[in-house]
Amino acid sequence: MDIEISPALLVDRVVQSRQGSVAEAAQVHVLKKAMDLQESASATLLNSVAGSLPLASGGSVGTKVNAMV
């Protein structure tokens, strides 16, 4: 069984493969940037919520553990 591949077809396949690789690399880069932004926003939100809240001064709930969090 003899399979002949033309040089033009081979070049076309290589170019298509490289274009796909570039597109995939760009998608991964954008995804990483989005994840970094989400990480930063989440850290900012958590830091703003986790302030020093006082414990409850009376009652049976919240006097040993801060139940407001």
Side-chain angles (χ1 to χ4, degrees):
M1 186 157 125
D2 228 0
I3 299 176
E4 292 185 29
I5 299 175
S6 70
L9 180 62
L10 181 61
V11 169
D12 184 52
R13 297 291 184 222
V14 169
V15 168
Q16 286 178 357
S17 172
R18 289 188 182 211
Q19 287 175 346
S21 296
V22 170
E24 288 173 1
Q27 289 172 346
V28 168
H29 179 71
V30 169
L31 180 61
K32 285 181 179 179
K33 291 294 263 183
M35 290 174 68
D36 288 343
L37 287 172
Q38 286 181 347
E39 176 187 11
S40 175
S42 298
T44 301
L45 179 63
L46 288 173
N47 287 336
S48 69
V49 171
S52 58
L53 297 173
L55 293 175
S57 58
S60 60
V61 177
T63 56
K64 306 259 191 259
V65 175
N66 191 346
M68 293 182 72
V69 176

